[in-house]
């Protein structure tokens, strides 16, 4: 049994990303290739991360453009067989639907409100807040447009689960084991709390990849989720 964790391979160094991937893959269900690694190495990043394992591949490219361009970009990613692909829910229903149509096998995940944004940031952007309301509105748009997953703050996961019911994969970044540094994340929670609130997949980067030994850090984390208080 692997833990419901997507490890964020956030580095432009392909060798390092591959080392992290091999160290954590026995313990987690999913690897996440994001903008930093993908912009530098493209398809090779996905191929190296996956290796010859059957780990799930989360392409976190946060697409946000006109529907025709997003549909074309999603179609261009088809040979990589991503299990998840993120699009910004703020791009609107037609844009999300274009990604869904282009990659029917993949779970298109609508990013609601970035976990790095504080309530103050959200107000300044002009999103009608509080953040939970903004996330709820964006979640409904994404799911109605065909997204089968949502990315949200662990602080919002319980509200979204109630709003959209079962069957949609809720993915939460901004997860920090008790005592870990928040870094640039604002609306954070512990992994145990996020799972208890209804998250299906936890995105965790620096607390694992920044550890002295990522393999040990991820194994500890996986164990803590399987024990009392986890699941
Ligand atoms: O290192 P850390 O655990 O903060 O990594 C979080 C990861 O989740 C990063 O790869 C970031 O791009 C991603 N993410 C996020 N907030 C979102 C969506 C994705 O932090 N709303």
């Amino acid at each position: 049994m692997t833990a419901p964790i997507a490890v964020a391979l956030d580095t432009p160094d392909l060798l390092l990303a591959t080392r992290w991937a091999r160290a954590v893959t026995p313990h987690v269900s999913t690897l996440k290739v994001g903008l930093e690694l993908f912009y530098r190495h493209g398809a090779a990043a996905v191929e190296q991360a996956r290796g010859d394992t059957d780990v799930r591949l989360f392409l976190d490219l946060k697409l946000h453009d006109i529907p025709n361009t997003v549909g074309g970009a999603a179609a261009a990613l088809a040979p990589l067989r991503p299990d998840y692909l993120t699009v910004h829910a703020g791009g609107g229903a037609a844009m999300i639907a274009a990604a869904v149509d282009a990659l029917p096998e993949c779970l298109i995940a609508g990013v609601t409100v970035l976990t790095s944004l504080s309530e103050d940031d959200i107000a300044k952007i002009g999103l009608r807040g509080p953040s939970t309301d903004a996330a709820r509105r964006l979640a409904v748009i994404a799911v109605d447009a065909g997204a089968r997953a949502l990315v949200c703050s662990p602080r919002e996961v319980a509200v979204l689960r109630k709003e959209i019911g079962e069957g949609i994969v809720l993915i939460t970044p901004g997860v920090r084991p008790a005592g870990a540094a928040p870094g640039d994340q604002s609306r954070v929670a512990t992994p145990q709390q996020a799972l208890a609130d209804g998250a299906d997949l936890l995105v965790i980067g620096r607390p694992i990849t920044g550890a002295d030994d990522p393999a040990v850090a991820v194994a500890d984390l996986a164990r803590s989720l399987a024990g009392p208080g986890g699941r």
Side-chain angles (χ1 to χ4, degrees):
M1 250 299 269
T2 53
I5 294 174
V7 177
L9 304 174
D10 290 335
T11 169
D13 180 339
L14 187 56
L15 220 59
L16 181 59
T18 308
R19 239 185 6 244
W20 286 342
R22 294 292 74 80
V24 304
T25 295
H27 305 284
V28 300
S29 66
T30 310
L31 296 175
K32 187 173 87 75
V33 172
L35 297 172
E36 195 174 348
L37 190 58
F38 195 79
Y39 273 135
R40 183 68 66 90
H41 299 286
V46 172
E47 281 151 17
Q48 290 293 318
R50 190 182 267 136
D52 57 5
T53 71
D54 57 4
V55 70
R56 286 193 204 126
L57 215 294
F58 180 166
L59 257 186
D60 189 13
L61 301 184
K62 295 197 176 70
L63 304 180
H64 193 166
D65 208 317
I66 59 171
N68 188 56
T69 301
V70 166
L77 296 168
L80 301 181
R81 297 175 290 110
D83 295 284
Y84 303 90
L85 171 69
T86 47
V87 302
H88 272 292
M95 187 208 80
I96 298 161
V100 171
D101 289 347
L103 280 180
E105 312 265 286
C106 172
L107 283 138
I108 298 297
V111 177
T112 56
V113 180
L114 292 175
T115 46
S116 52
L117 297 177
S118 66
E119 295 295 340
D120 191 41
D121 295 326
I122 290 165
K124 278 188 185 138
I125 290 169
L127 271 182
R128 246 187 308 124
S131 58
T132 318
D133 289 356
R136 201 159 47 188
R137 285 196 307 273
L138 289 162
V140 170
I141 292 169
V143 170
D144 286 351
R148 288 186 286 158
L150 293 167
V151 180
C152 66
S153 151
R155 303 268 182 94
E156 283 133 27
V157 76
V159 169
L160 290 201
R161 178 59 77 205
K162 221 164 126 207
E163 181 85 28
I164 49 122
E166 298 300 319
I168 298 290
V169 177
L170 291 184
I171 303 170
T172 56
V175 174
R176 290 288 177 268
D184 55 358
Q185 298 283 10
S186 282
R187 306 191 322 283
V188 298
T190 65
Q192 289 79 3
Q193 188 61 49
L195 289 178
D197 286 345
D200 299 298
L201 183 63
L202 311 175
V203 173
I204 306 181
R206 289 162 291 181
I208 293 170
T209 55
D212 289 341
D213 188 338
V216 170
V218 82
D220 285 350
L221 199 52
R223 211 171 310 113
S224 78
L225 294 181
R231 66 178 186 188

